[in-house]
C-alpha cells in the first residue's frame, strides 16, 4: 500500500488526498466529541507557538484558529497587518513573515488577498504554513469544517446533492468546497447570476444553473455565499434588492427544500441580501454549528501537522 500523504502545510484542498481529508475529519470528530464533553485543555501543542498573520479582515477564522491553538496549549500571537504595523511602511509579505519567523514560532496561519501567497511563504519558511484564505483561490479549513458539519448532521458526504448559491466567481469558500465535495463523492450544483458564475465553472465538475428553484429542488445541503463586493472591480449585480428577490434564500424559496435539507453559510452573512433572517435563524440552519465545528477542525489541522512534523524529525 502507498504511504499516507505527509502533511507539511495546509495550502488547499485541491492537492489533498482523500485519505488526508478523511484523517483530518476523523481527528476533527474526536476533538469535537471531547469538546462537547466539556474538555477545554489538550496537550498536543505544548511549548509550541502559532502565529496568525492576517492581511484581510476576519472574525470567525482568526478567533477560531486562536481558540484552537489555545485549546491545544500552544502560545498564540495575532498579527493583523493593518495601519498599526510596518506593512504600511512598505514591508513586503516575505519580509513580514521572515521577521515573525525570526522569533521562532512553530506554525504560521496566513490570510492574504493574493491567490498563492501561502504557497509562496511555504517555500520561503521552514515552518508549516496554513492557508486561512488566499484571494479567491482557496480556504481549506472552511471546507473541512463544512465537511465536518455535513457529516455530523447527514451521516456521510458520499451521494449527497449540494447546492452552492451566490457569488461563486469570487469565492474561495466555493472553490475549496467544490474540490472537497467532489473528492468525497457528493454531486455539486452551483447557482448564481451569470455575472457571478466563473466562465468555465463546468471544468470544476459541477452542474450550473441560474435558477435557485432548480438548484435547491433535490438538494440535501444548501450553502449560501455572500457577494464579495471587495473583490469586484465593477458592479456585477443591479442592486441588493434585486439580488435578494431573484437569488436570496427567503422564506418562500426555503419552503421548497426537501425535508431534512440543511442550510449553511460560512459567514459573514448579509441578512436581507443573500438570506432572510428567518431562514438564517430557522430550524434547518446549521450556521452556528459550522462555527463550533471550526475550532475542532482547526485543532485537527494543527495536531496532524505537528504529528507529521515530528515524524520527519530524526
Ligand atoms: C469567508 C472568507 O473570508 O472567505 N469567511 C470566512 O472565512 N468564514 C467568506 C466571506 O468572506 O464571504
Amino acid at each position: 500500500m502507498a504511504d499516507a500523504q505527509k502533511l507539511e502545510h495546509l495550502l488547499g484542498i485541491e492537492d489533498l488526498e482523500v485519505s488526508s481529508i478523511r484523517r483530518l475529519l476523523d481527528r476533527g470528530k474526536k476533538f469535537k466529541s471531547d469538546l462537547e464533553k466539556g474538555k477545554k485543555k489538550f496537550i498536543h501543542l505544548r511549548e509550541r507557538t502559532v502565529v496568525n498573520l492576517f492581511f484581510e479582515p476576519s472574525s470567525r477564522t482568526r478567533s477560531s484558529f486562536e481558540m484552537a491553538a489555545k485549546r491545544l496549549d500552544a502560545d498564540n500571537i495575532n498579527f493583523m497587518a493593518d495601519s498599526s504595523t510596518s506593512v504600511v511602511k512598505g514591508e513586503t509579505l516575505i519580509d513580514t513573515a521572515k521577521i515573525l519567523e525570526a522569533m521562532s514560532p512553530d506554525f504560521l496561519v496566513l490570510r492574504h488577498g493574493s491567490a498563492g501567497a501561502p504557497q509562496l511563504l511555504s517555500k520561503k519558511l521552514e515552518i508549516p504554513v496554513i492557508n486561512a484564505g488566499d484571494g479567491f483561490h482557496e480556504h481549506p479549513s472552511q471546507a473541512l469544517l463544512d465537511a465536518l458539519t455535513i457529516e455530523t448532521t447527514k451521516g456521510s458526504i458520499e451521494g449527497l446533492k449540494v447546492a452552492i448559491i451566490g457569488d461563486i466567481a469570487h469565492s474561495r469558500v466555493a472553490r475549496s468546497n467544490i474540490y472537497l465535495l467532489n473528492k468525497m463523492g457528493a454531486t455539486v450544483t452551483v447557482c448564481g447570476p451569470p455575472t457571478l458564475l466563473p466562465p468555465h465553472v463546468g471544468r470544476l465538475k459541477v452542474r450550473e444553473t441560474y435558477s435557485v428553484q432548480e438548484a435547491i429542488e433535490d438538494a440535501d445541503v444548501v450553502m449560501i455565499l455572500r457577494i464579495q463586493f471587495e473583490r469586484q472591480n465593477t458592479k456585477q449585480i443591479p442592486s441588493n434588492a434585486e439580488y435578494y428577490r431573484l437569488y436570496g434564500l427567503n422564506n418562500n424559496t426555503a419552503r421548497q427544500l426537501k425535508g431534512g435539507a440543511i442550510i449553511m453559510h460560512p459567514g459573514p452573512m448579509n441578512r436581507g441580501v443573500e438570506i432572510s433572517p428567518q431562514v438564517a435563524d430557522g430550524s434547518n440552519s446549521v450556521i452556528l454549528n459550522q462555527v463550533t465545528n471550526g475550532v475542532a477542525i482547526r485543532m485537527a489541522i494543527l495536531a496532524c501537522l505537528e504529528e507529521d512534523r515530528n515524524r520527519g524529525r530524526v
Side-chain angles (χ1 to χ4, degrees):
M1 207 175 85
D3 278 350
Q5 181 178 34
K6 186 177 170 210
L7 292 176
E8 288 179 61
H9 306 278
L10 182 69
L11 303 176
I13 301 291
E14 189 177 10
D15 297 328
L16 271 193
E17 290 172 8
V18 170
S19 60
S20 298
I21 297 174
R22 191 65 271 148
R23 175 182 172 205
L24 289 162
L25 291 176
D26 289 344
R27 252 331 186 48
K29 266 185 202 158
K30 177 79 179 75
F31 280 127
K32 176 177 162 67
S33 133
D34 287 342
L35 290 167
E36 280 169 358
K37 286 182 199 135
K39 187 164 172 182
K40 298 228 160 145
K41 220 41 168 185
F42 302 75
I43 55 165
H44 300 65
L45 256 63
R46 182 161 290 169
E47 291 180 31
R48 299 279 183 250
T49 305
V50 179
V51 169
N52 289 337
L53 173 57
F54 276 59
F55 286 81
E56 283 191 337
S58 172
S59 303
R60 271 152 288 266
T61 307
R62 192 161 59 91
S63 50
S64 178
F65 269 112
E66 182 174 353
M67 185 71 86
K70 287 182 171 160
R71 292 268 185 259
L72 294 172
D73 211 12
D75 292 320
N76 184 249
I77 290 186
N78 275 302
F79 187 94
M80 192 65 219
D82 57 19
S83 57
S84 67
T85 69
S86 290
V87 171
V88 285
K89 299 180 188 167
E91 195 153 63
T92 64
L93 165 66
I94 294 175
D95 284 336
T96 307
K98 285 269 182 201
I99 59 140
L100 290 169
E101 194 188 34
M103 299 183 218
S104 307
D106 300 286
F107 298 90
L108 180 79
V109 180
L110 176 73
R111 169 168 286 191
H112 199 277
S114 301
Q119 283 76 0
L120 176 69
L121 285 195
S122 72
K123 294 194 175 74
K124 302 276 176 196
L125 307 181
E126 299 297 322
I127 55 173
V129 175
I130 300 167
N131 181 2
D134 61 326
F136 45 80
H137 177 223
E138 280 228 39
H139 193 347
S141 64
Q142 181 69 43
L144 287 162
L145 76 86
D146 289 341
L148 180 61
T149 308
I150 296 172
E151 282 200 344
T152 49
T153 47
K154 309 291 296 177
S156 157
I157 295 176
E158 191 166 4
L160 291 182
K161 294 194 166 62
V162 181
I164 309 182
I165 304 174
D167 183 357
I168 311 295
H170 304 95
S171 173
R172 52 197 176 202
V173 175
R175 208 153 276 106
S176 288
N177 262 302
I178 290 168
Y179 289 135
L180 189 147
L181 292 164
N182 275 336
K183 284 179 199 242
M184 302 305 279
T187 309
V188 182
T189 300
V190 294
C191 172
T195 48
L196 297 182
L197 291 185
H200 304 295
V201 70
R203 285 191 197 151
L204 293 173
K205 293 196 282 170
V206 293
R207 191 171 73 109
E208 31 179 330
T209 173
Y210 303 137
S211 152
V212 172
Q213 276 70 21
E214 205 178 299
I216 66 170
E217 67 193 359
D218 60 352
D220 303 290
V221 176
V222 177
M223 273 184 202
I224 307 293
L225 300 175
R226 180 178 70 87
I227 305 174
Q228 310 257 316
F229 291 108
E230 73 276 24
R231 300 193 204 285
Q232 301 173 12
N233 300 326
T234 52
K235 207 164 182 330
Q236 294 179 353
I237 54 163
S239 71
N240 285 356
E242 183 161 333
Y243 182 85
Y244 185 54
R245 200 166 52 76
L246 292 172
Y247 292 96
L249 194 66
N250 59 38
N251 309 348
N252 283 338
T253 37
R255 266 196 279 280
Q256 297 163 35
L257 286 172
K258 229 165 65 172
I262 55 169
I263 296 165
M264 307 177 72
H265 193 309
M269 267 189 287
N270 290 159
R271 290 167 182 256
V273 180
E274 70 269 11
I275 192 165
S276 75
Q278 294 84 347
V279 173
D281 302 328
S283 56
N284 297 358
S285 164
V286 294
I287 295 170
L288 286 176
N289 305 50
Q290 290 173 263
V291 179
T292 306
N293 292 334
V295 176
I297 215 68
R298 288 170 177 125
M299 289 170 73
I301 293 167
L302 289 165
C304 289
L305 285 170
E306 169 71 6
E307 220 166 73
D308 285 10
R309 204 156 70 122
N310 290 335
R311 265 211 283 160
R313 281 189 182 134
V314 275

